[in-house]
Amino acid sequence: MADARDPIADLRRIAFLLERANEATYRVRAFRSAAKALAGLSAAELTERAGNGTLTELAGVGDVTARCVAESLAGEEPVYLRRLVATEGSDLDAEATALRTALRGDCHTHSDWSDGGSPIEEMALAAVELGHEYLVLTDHSPRLTVARGLTAERLRRQLDHVAQVNAALPEGFRILTGIEVDILADGSLDQDDDLLARLDVVVGSVHSGLKDERSKMTRRMLKAVANPHLDILGHVTGRMVSSRPAGVTGPGDRGHRARTRAESDFDADAVFAACAEHDTAVEINSRPERQDPPKRLIRRALEAGCRFAINTDAHAPGQLDWQRFGCERAALCGVPVDRVINTWSAEQLVAWTHDRPPRR
């Protein structure tokens, strides 16, 4: 008989591929729950239960996941996994591939500390497997209560936790501290200045008042871009192009059951000119339901002289491989590699966020 595979690794790989394919939440949860339930068993008990058909007596393990475990223990690639691998997405063209290959990290990700579906450790290990050198953790700020935004005290605890996790991660990889901070109605940022100053990367996004009239939204965004703590302007227009759930598995699910939503109305030329002036990067958000900014605005930001960050806004490990979608759109708009800040090393990125003129 062939040597046994690692059934828990196979279950997690299936969950990862389902997340990457933007499958429904319940499918992802089935495999992650089974992996978690089985992780506490000894190898002997796992083998015994698979042999006598009692795996499904464990909470979180169903017929499909039990069958995958049995196939793994028999040394076979589970049929479910084999089918997922066989139906993976299409290849990138040369320009998009060059961008994707140059990316060294992701500057916008979420964990189960706010509305993500997985612990910080799982997100980090998935990033390692993808070949990243760093992952910027950017959970939400306090005002976004639907996403369990972090109060100042919770953010301080998270910073301590990240330091502990970094100490245990493989050499050559690190989690960078960050936040996706709400841009409030008056253009201020939704977190204490002393905490924002401690973070490696600050992404600022508008999550409320998305239908504000043009002049008000423009003033709001211009003030945020001029804030000395803001490094990246996130999902610029706030649009949603798809109503399909995005595979989020965390407590903030309802906040990500996106309905289609029109772009916010603002003076894009003024905002991008301010981004160029203050050296604030414009995010190219890779989420399939966002595709934000639209290509016409990516081109205008490029013409304005802006830098970019190609981010996933991932809320689950498999979504970390969505950068390919952002790279495709960036390549179509002619964004060169040297304009993308997450092609830099972690050291270069942190040096830029803390030392770039004229604001710091």
Side-chain angles (χ1 to χ4, degrees), residues 107-110 114 136-140 176-180 201 203:
C107 297
H108 185 172
T109 68
H110 297 273
S114 64
V136 185
L137 178 63
T138 55
D139 280 322
H140 289 285
L176 298 181
T177 59
I179 191 170
E180 183 184 13
V201 179
V203 178

Side-chain angles (χ1 to χ4, degrees), residues 7-335:
I8 295 173
D10 280 344
L11 292 173
R12 288 174 174 159
R13 180 63 179 168
I14 290 169
F16 177 93
L17 292 174
L18 288 170
E19 287 166 344
R20 186 170 71 176
N22 205 16
E23 291 286 351
T25 297
Y26 76 90
R27 295 185 188 278
V28 178
R29 185 178 292 123
F31 288 93
R32 289 213 179 275
S33 297
K36 184 176 181 180
L38 299 178
L41 302 183
S42 67
E45 183 180 356
L46 181 59
T47 301
E48 180 183 355
R49 282 185 173 275
N52 61 27
T54 60
L55 281 174
T56 54
E57 294 178 2
L58 299 171
V61 181
D63 291 336
V64 173
T65 50
R67 189 180 312 119
C68 290
V69 170
E71 291 166 346
S72 291
L73 290 174
E76 304 168 7
E77 183 178 39
V79 172
Y80 201 109
L81 176 57
R82 191 161 64 244
R83 288 173 178 165
L84 282 174
V85 172
T87 56
E88 285 186 275
S90 59
D91 293 335
L92 298 176
D93 63 23
E95 291 79 9
T97 297
L99 271 174
R100 179 65 189 87
T101 303
L103 295 180
R104 301 171 75 170
D106 193 332
C107 297
H108 185 172
T109 68
H110 297 273
S111 75
D112 61 2
W113 281 64
S114 64
D115 64 340
S118 295
I120 295 169
E121 296 86 342
E122 283 190 25
M123 296 295 290
L125 290 174
V128 171
E129 290 177 6
L130 287 171
H132 288 336
E133 297 174 19
Y134 56 87
L135 180 78
V136 185
L137 178 63
T138 55
D139 280 322
H140 289 285
S141 62
R143 297 285 184 96
L144 202 62
T145 54
V146 69
R148 298 176 65 238
L150 273 62
T151 63
E153 179 54 35
R154 288 184 66 215
L155 180 55
R156 291 188 183 95
R157 292 204 304 270
Q158 186 183 80
L159 296 180
D160 292 338
H161 182 69
V162 167
Q164 295 171 1
V165 174
N166 269 333
L169 287 172
E171 186 176 355
F173 180 88
R174 63 190 279 202
I175 301 169
L176 298 181
T177 59
I179 191 170
E180 183 184 13
V181 64
D182 263 30
I183 297 174
L184 302 179
D186 64 354
S188 60
L189 304 183
D190 179 34
Q191 191 49 274
D192 296 347
D193 283 347
D194 64 323
L195 269 174
L196 294 177
R198 287 180 59 187
L199 300 174
D200 293 321
V201 179
V202 175
V203 178
S205 306
V206 174
H207 288 107
S208 60
L210 292 164
K211 295 182 180 179
D212 281 353
E213 56 95 18
R214 180 182 178 86
S215 61
K216 182 177 180 180
M217 181 63 77
T218 301
R219 288 194 301 270
R220 180 182 184 182
M221 296 175 75
L222 289 175
K223 181 176 178 181
V225 167
N227 189 300
H229 297 299
L230 187 69
D231 303 311
I232 301 170
L233 184 61
H235 47 74
V236 180
T237 75
R239 76 173 186 172
M240 292 288 186
V241 298
S242 169
S243 60
R244 194 174 187 284
V248 183
T249 58
D253 261 3
R254 66 182 182 276
H256 286 270
R257 290 186 181 132
R259 301 177 178 85
T260 56
R261 183 168 62 213
E263 302 168 22
S264 293
D265 187 17
F266 60 93
D267 185 338
D269 290 332
V271 170
F272 293 148
C275 287
E277 176 188 354
H278 296 291
D279 203 13
T280 299
V282 174
E283 178 179 74
I284 298 177
N285 190 291
S286 300
R287 293 192 70 86
E289 78 275 21
R290 283 193 181 276
Q291 300 178 38
D292 194 5
K295 291 191 290 292
R296 74 177 195 285
L297 292 187
I298 294 176
R299 288 190 289 267
R300 284 164 72 177
L302 182 63
E303 292 166 2
C306 297
R307 299 188 197 268
F308 298 89
I310 301 176
N311 297 329
T312 61
D313 194 356
H315 287 67
Q319 296 174 6
L320 289 169
D321 207 17
W322 283 355
Q323 277 182 317
R324 58 185 289 119
F325 303 136
C327 289
E328 286 176 323
R329 294 171 52 248
L332 285 171
C333 297
V335 175

